[in-house]
Amino acid sequence: MDQKYHPRKIETRWQSTWEETKAYAVQADPAREKYYLLEMFPYPSGRIHIGHVRNYTIGDVVARYKRMCGYNVLHPMGWDAFGMPAENAAIANNTHPARWTYENIAVMRRELKLLGFSYDWDREITTCTPDYYRWEQWLFIKMYEKDMVYRKESYVNWCDRCQTVLANEQVEAGDCWRCGDAVRQKKLWQWFFRITDYAEDLLEYCDRLEGWPERVTTMQKNWIGKSTGAEIEFPVAGTDEVIRVFTTRPDTIYGATFMCLAPEHPLVKKLSAGKAQQEAVDQFVERMSKESNVDRVQDNQEKEGVFIGAWCKNPVNDRKMPIYIANFALMEYGTGAVMSVPAHDQRDFEFAKKYGLDIIVVIQPEGADEKDIARSEAYTGDGVMVNSEDFSGMANTAGKSAVIDYFEKHGIGTRSVNYRIRDWGISRQRYWGAPIPIIHCDKCGTVPVSEKDLPVVLPEEADLMEGGKSPLGVLDSFVNVPCPACGAPGRRETDTMDTFVESSWYFERYCSPDCDTAIFEPGAVKYWMPVDQYIGGVEHAVMHLLYSRYFTRVLHDMGLVDFKEPFTRLLTQGMVCKETVRCETHGYLYPEETQYRGEIPHCAKCGSPAEVGRVEKMSKSKKNVIDPNALVENYGADTVRLFCLFAAPPERDLEWSEQGVEGSFRFLNRIWRLYYRWIDRLGKTKPYTGEPSSLPDHARELYIKTHQTIKKVTDDIEQRFHFNTAISAVMELSNQLNVIEPEQEDPSIDGVMRFALDSIAVLLSPIVPHITEQIWEAMGNESGTLCRRQWPPYRDDALSSDTRVIVVQVNGKLRGRFEIDANADDAAIKARALDDPNVVRFIEDKEIKKVIVVKNKLVNIVL
């Protein structure tokens, strides 16, 4: 064993050993209990960032721990390789998306291996390869055959910069989730998955996901957005048309004084055609198409609209109601029509005030005067129904059901349930994606590609057109194909699938990645699935995680899997954050562009003082990022892993600290020196594993402390994933060992010391696997076996005693510890401290000025 710790030398050796021996390759074994640990696979953006490192280190610790607990652990890795970033990067770098993607995968794979993650690389998948998306296309066809997929022309979220459609879940505060530009509405033919067919089941099972954070299930519940109420028909005056409205407030129908339609509602153009208002209506519709739905429904957004020149009738009292289009009415909610009750809805109230429309109070709070209601704002609470014919005097809470009964009796409306979630639009007008396996035929319509012709291969030799537009539509060799049904000339679908389709089933493919006869091997999926522990960011709550739950239900209904939920437990890790540094001239600065003169940062480009900003999520745009590769080169992978785990619990944000990294490196150096000091003496000593009562006091104290540490680390990993406190417990034990000098100790402690040192190596091995393998081997254990060693049990009889551990300081510095009876008085504690061999070495012949005893805690000897 070298005297000095050389992390890169050690890590290179063990990474090569693990790869050569396939240490983490795994096969299904029905005789063993499985554990499927999975982190969300990365997009191959070019380099891993420290957020990746934290996420994958958390997962790796759990995978290694579960292996040592005897589980058959599946821990795979792959690449979510399709998508717009590759196209955008290809344009920026004048290269091809395929070349850019595959080169990035090679770089990132090497970087992940340098961190020592225990992946089964034999199961690696890449979603942009035909042998992967072939089965995605096969599943699309099966869904098409079962009417789970359909095509329609509809208004969709459109990003001008990305030149593609976005699902509702991909619009964040009105902006594109990828590029950040404002999203507008555009009418296009699109393919949709019927996710709404599963809305109730997805909602119901949210309460069964006991291993998920409540925050995530709440976000999914809100996104699914179940509402109960009534669907009512309002006849359009002078026509045969009716406007269907969904409302959760049927008790207020007698107060409905006007109707608002979404600008995208199909009746808008029909009812305004030829009217004096047609031009104003068309202009308003065009303006609204350039605004995002999110912006339109903001509370602080001015409510505005245009009268379309038509009226409808309130079906309960025949009141004539003007029909408007309004910015706050959305096609994606309910039916796209709003029964406007200005006295009891604030949006309607503001709209009515602006356009001088009638406001009729129909709910009166107890003790209130009707004339005082809805004067300055809408009254939205409960009360007694008024101005509601036969329902007047009834509590509105009871009136809701009674009014719906009236609707149903008179054929006006029915009870109804509405969901906020909309069918998943999967068409993307981009090149770098999985082709949709459909052929358009003038005679037969849309026809699925024959299964024998799968996969429909994306032509990787095609180059992007100007502005990043897809070349598929003008590529004759791709587009022009015969119709599979009649043989006549047809045109292949040129839209590609949303990249979230690939990530909605990849976890099943990992179970049998080489299967070439089916989407996956049923026996393998039955053994490995569902995923026992899934790890990733909370930002995926209503996209990837919801889509994955939906896709699993599709597979279940097709008889391909026997479970509905893909992930038993979910951990959403916090972000990695760092302060920003900004130069007035050059903007945000990377750490390497910042030079400190004392405590003042300066711009390395111009030498001007720079301003330190807030601590924010690391991002390339703010340049507050740290290169993990530089850290690995300077400190070693184990140090980087240790810091990512020690700095904060996994569910909390981690604030970057260079001092924290250096502290982690110092700890590993202390561990190395500890073993180096004892290796010659303990090389052939067997660890003591007997009863604590058979040991002398000083050995028993250490033996008990070791077992307490084993229990603490086990509980922290198994029950809480609190790796930071697990590491602290090992640090505390190692500190106790560090004050014991080999040349000063009685041989009676050797067996316990060996047990303690072996335990530290095992307990730290999931966290810092390279250094622990090295010291395990150096202590005379079989080489390369630590990663497969059984996790140490703890003795219940060695967890507590009637003694206390007393810390001894000399001039305030830790110099020793000892165990003493809990009832010992101060005199006995003082005497024991002064006799402790480790303490005596530091006192020697010096004069003792004072001995301070803190009962049952510490002794401080002042010289």
Side-chain angles (χ1 to χ4, degrees):
M1 182 177 183
D2 293 341
Q3 184 174 0
K4 189 176 179 181
Y5 172 45
H6 298 286
R8 293 305 301 130
K9 174 183 175 183
I10 293 167
E11 289 167 5
T12 300
R13 178 202 168 187
W14 287 108
Q15 288 163 12
S16 297
T17 298
W18 295 330
E19 186 163 1
E20 290 166 5
T21 61
K22 292 187 178 294
Y24 307 115
V26 66
Q27 298 297 326
D29 182 356
R32 296 179 62 193
E33 187 174 359
K34 66 90 177 180
Y35 192 87
Y36 188 173
L37 185 288
L38 185 63
E39 306 98 4
M40 295 178 185
F41 64 169
Y43 182 81
S45 57
R47 303 291 292 269
I48 64 169
H49 53 69
I50 204 70
H52 285 133
V53 176
R54 188 188 191 199
N55 186 17
Y56 301 145
T57 302
I58 291 167
D60 196 51
V61 172
V62 179
R64 289 176 177 274
Y65 165 76
K66 289 293 184 179
R67 252 185 231 108
M68 297 174 80
C69 289
Y71 289 91
N72 193 26
V73 175
L74 174 57
H75 188 207
M77 176 49 69
W79 312 98
D80 189 9
F82 271 141
M84 290 184 287
E87 290 193 28
N88 295 338
I91 294 168
N93 294 285
N94 194 29
T95 186
H96 192 280
R99 186 181 309 115
W100 187 86
T101 299
Y102 292 127
E103 288 175 355
N104 287 348
I105 287 173
V107 170
M108 293 177 71
R109 184 190 300 114
R110 180 183 63 82
E111 292 174 336
L112 291 177
K113 288 184 176 182
L114 286 175
L115 284 154
F117 296 134
S118 59
Y119 296 128
D120 180 355
W121 284 104
D122 290 345
R123 294 175 181 267
E124 180 182 10
I125 59 175
T126 303
T127 62
C128 65
T129 57
D131 60 352
Y132 182 85
Y133 63 75
R134 165 192 180 183
W135 297 108
E136 185 172 302
Q137 294 170 342
W138 174 86
L139 186 61
F140 180 99
I141 292 171
K142 294 302 176 187
M143 293 171 70
Y144 180 89
E145 292 171 351
K146 292 181 177 293
D147 197 31
M148 293 177 167
V149 182
Y150 64 94
R151 185 174 184 256
K152 72 172 182 178
E153 188 178 27
S154 68
Y155 282 94
V156 292
N157 303 306
W158 178 263
C159 175
D160 285 312
R161 178 187 291 189
C162 295
Q163 285 289 296
T164 194
V165 168
L166 303 174
N168 289 339
E169 294 85 349
Q170 295 164 341
V171 180
E172 299 177 346
D175 297 331
C176 173
W177 74 296
R178 280 294 189 192
C179 72
D181 276 13
V183 172
R184 66 182 180 92
Q185 297 295 295
K186 185 175 182 178
K187 198 169 188 178
L188 290 175
W189 282 95
Q190 297 285 291
W191 287 97
F192 293 86
F193 286 158
R194 296 188 191 274
I195 191 173
T196 53
D197 287 353
Y198 293 87
E200 185 62 35
D201 198 55
L202 288 165
L203 182 64
E204 178 188 341
Y205 271 74
C206 281
D207 291 328
R208 304 189 193 184
L209 298 172
E210 296 179 357
W212 284 42
E214 184 179 357
R215 176 187 179 192
V216 175
T217 56
T218 298
M219 291 170 72
Q220 291 209 357
K221 288 178 182 178
N222 291 339
W223 189 260
I224 295 168
K226 181 178 181 180
S227 301
T228 58
E231 189 168 288
I232 313 166
E233 292 186 348
F234 288 74
V236 178
T239 75
D240 295 330
E241 301 288 349
V242 295
I243 297 173
R244 291 185 303 106
V245 170
F246 172 81
T247 179
T248 60
R249 295 295 307 272
D251 53 317
T252 64
I253 189 168
Y254 287 92
T257 60
F258 59 97
M259 178 70 66
C260 285
L261 300 181
E264 305 84 9
H265 196 288
L267 285 178
V268 170
K269 286 194 173 183
K270 188 172 185 180
L271 296 180
S272 63
K275 306 283 179 62
Q277 294 81 7
Q278 181 176 355
E279 183 177 353
V281 169
D282 290 344
Q283 290 174 353
F284 188 82
V285 170
E286 174 65 20
R287 182 158 62 87
M288 288 300 103
S289 74
K290 297 176 182 178
E291 294 189 16
S292 76
N293 288 351
V294 175
D295 288 338
R296 282 164 52 185
V297 297
Q298 294 296 318
D299 289 339
N300 59 359
Q301 180 86 348
E302 182 184 0
K303 309 304 180 286
E304 58 177 330
V306 173
F307 175 56
I308 70 171
W311 289 261
C312 63
K313 289 197 300 183
N314 189 321
V316 296
N317 58 13
D318 287 336
R319 180 186 180 88
K320 192 176 182 182
M321 300 166 51
I323 303 172
Y324 283 75
I325 51 173
N327 60 343
F328 60 83
L330 303 180
M331 251 339 273
E332 67 179 36
Y333 183 77
T335 63
V338 176
M339 173 190 88
S340 296
V341 185
H344 304 291
D345 181 278
Q346 187 60 31
R347 295 176 311 170
D348 298 343
F349 178 85
E350 294 173 17
F351 194 91
K353 284 290 189 182
K354 180 171 183 174
Y355 295 106
L357 302 169
D358 291 344
I359 299 175
I360 300 175
V361 173
V362 292
I363 307 294
Q364 182 175 329
E366 186 176 350
D369 191 323
E370 183 181 327
K371 68 177 184 297
D372 294 329
I373 303 170
R375 297 186 66 180
S376 59
E377 62 181 1
Y379 173 69
T380 59
D382 292 328
V384 176
M385 296 176 68
V386 296
N387 301 318
S388 301
E389 298 183 356
D390 292 345
F391 298 100
S392 294
M394 181 181 292
N396 77 299
T397 50
K400 290 180 181 179
S401 181
V403 170
I404 298 176
D405 289 341
Y406 177 86
F407 292 162
E408 293 182 331
K409 180 179 179 180
H410 293 85
I412 295 171
T414 59
R415 280 179 168 77
S416 182
V417 175
N418 187 71
Y419 297 93
R420 176 175 181 255
I421 191 172
R422 286 292 176 259
D423 282 337
W424 177 9
I426 64 148
S427 295
R428 297 295 178 267
Q429 294 67 42
R430 301 295 297 214
Y431 160 70
W432 191 237
I436 295 174
I438 291 289
I439 294 170
H440 298 278
C441 173
D442 291 339
K443 178 181 178 182
C444 304
T446 56
V447 183
V449 172
S450 174
E451 288 184 30
K452 66 179 177 61
D453 293 330
L454 295 179
V456 177
V457 177
L458 182 73
E460 293 191 3
E461 70 279 4
D463 292 321
L464 294 175
M465 298 173 66
E466 184 178 353
K469 292 183 179 179
S470 172
L472 297 181
V474 297
L475 200 64
D476 290 344
S477 60
F478 178 80
V479 174
N480 297 322
V481 290
C483 170
C486 70
R491 285 182 59 83
R492 199 183 296 281
E493 174 65 66
T494 57
D495 284 353
T496 55
M497 291 195 226
D498 181 4
T499 185
F500 278 101
V501 178
E502 282 89 71
S503 60
S504 294
W505 66 280
Y506 77 108
F507 33 87
E508 274 109 0
R509 186 66 182 174
Y510 274 139
C511 299
S512 51
D514 298 323
C515 181
D516 60 2
T517 57
I519 188 169
F520 43 69
E521 203 280 309
V525 168
K526 188 173 183 64
Y527 176 75
W528 289 113
M529 288 293 294
V531 174
D532 294 280
Q533 180 67 61
Y534 200 34
I535 301 173
V538 73
E539 66 271 17
H540 299 291
V542 293
M543 288 191 284
H544 164 60
L545 289 170
L546 186 61
Y547 294 153
S548 297
R549 295 182 63 215
Y550 158 66
F551 243 61
T552 303
R553 281 161 171 74
V554 171
L555 295 171
H556 177 269
D557 286 358
M558 289 184 177
L560 296 172
V561 301
D562 60 2
F563 52 89
K564 285 187 173 184
E565 292 296 342
F567 314 121
T568 303
R569 289 168 56 89
L570 172 69
L571 172 67
T572 52
Q573 86 283 354
M575 299 180 294
V576 181
C577 305
K578 187 181 184 299
E579 78 279 355
T580 58
V581 180
R582 198 173 190 282
C583 170
E584 188 173 325
T585 302
H586 295 99
Y588 288 109
L589 302 176
Y590 286 109
E592 59 270 23
E593 297 173 337
T594 306
Q595 296 175 342
Y596 277 85
R597 301 173 191 172
E599 296 183 357
I600 306 299
H602 288 71
C603 175
K605 298 177 180 179
C606 65
S608 301
E611 180 183 357
V612 176
R614 329 180 277 185
V615 173
E616 300 184 50
K617 175 187 175 182
M618 284 190 181
S619 68
K620 292 180 181 178
S621 62
K622 298 290 180 68
K623 298 187 177 182
N624 60 337
V625 292
I626 297 294
D627 180 10
N629 297 292
L631 294 174
V632 171
E633 184 64 32
N634 293 332
Y635 297 102
D638 282 339
T639 292
V640 180
R641 291 169 61 115
L642 182 67
F643 169 75
C644 286
L645 297 168
F646 184 59
E651 69 277 6
R652 300 281 296 276
D653 289 349
L654 181 156
E655 184 173 342
W656 178 259
S657 164
E658 190 72 31
Q659 293 79 13
V661 176
E662 292 171 354
S664 296
F665 184 62
R666 288 194 299 271
F667 170 69
L668 293 182
N669 275 275
R670 288 196 300 271
I671 288 290
W672 185 268
R673 291 193 297 270
L674 172 63
Y675 282 82
Y676 182 80
R677 283 167 42 217
W678 282 93
I679 190 168
D680 291 339
R681 176 164 168 169
L682 299 181
K684 296 183 179 180
T685 301
K686 292 185 177 181
Y688 179 82
T689 57
E691 297 180 0
S693 59
S694 303
L695 295 168
D697 288 351
H698 64 303
R700 185 170 68 252
E701 173 197 340
L702 179 57
Y703 192 59
I704 289 173
K705 180 63 176 177
T706 303
H707 277 283
Q708 290 173 337
T709 303
I710 294 171
K711 184 179 189 305
K712 172 67 173 169
V713 173
T714 302
D715 290 348
D716 282 345
I717 296 178
E718 180 71 37
Q719 299 176 15
R720 295 176 285 274
F721 289 178
H722 281 189
F723 311 113
N724 57 326
T725 55
I727 294 166
S728 292
V730 177
M731 287 179 170
E732 190 175 321
L733 175 60
S734 69
N735 287 340
Q736 189 163 334
L737 299 184
N738 267 317
V739 300
I740 304 173
E741 295 292 343
E743 60 274 11
Q744 299 291 327
E745 282 299 324
D746 187 284
S748 64
I749 203 172
D750 285 7
V752 174
M753 192 71 184
R754 177 60 188 259
F755 173 71
L757 289 171
D758 280 359
S759 297
I760 286 178
V762 176
L763 296 176
L764 284 177
S765 63
I767 297 165
V768 285
H770 309 89
I771 187 174
T772 48
E773 282 281 13
Q774 191 72 20
I775 58 181
W776 180 257
E777 179 186 75
M779 291 293 285
N781 299 296
E782 184 181 349
S783 177
T785 61
L786 183 56
C787 64
R788 294 189 296 273
R789 190 191 185 281
Q790 181 182 356
W791 188 257
Y794 52 82
R795 294 180 63 109
D796 289 331
D797 62 352
L799 295 179
S800 62
S801 66
D802 294 328
T803 59
R804 294 288 183 270
V805 175
I806 304 297
V807 173
V808 185
Q809 298 176 340
V810 178
N811 287 342
K813 293 184 178 180
L814 176 66
R815 297 306 187 194
R817 285 184 177 87
F818 61 83
E819 188 176 319
I820 196 167
D821 189 283
N823 297 316
D825 58 20
D826 288 358
I829 294 173
K830 176 180 176 180
R832 177 68 183 276
L834 294 172
D835 287 340
D836 186 283
N838 288 317
V839 175
V840 169
R841 288 192 304 115
F842 291 98
I843 297 176
E844 296 177 337
D845 297 328
K846 299 183 180 71
E847 178 187 355
I848 298 175
K849 296 181 179 178
K850 187 188 301 182
V851 178
I852 302 169
V853 178
V854 179
K855 183 73 171 181
N856 289 334
K857 288 187 178 181
L858 66 84
V859 176
N860 188 17
I861 302 169
V862 182
L863 303 180

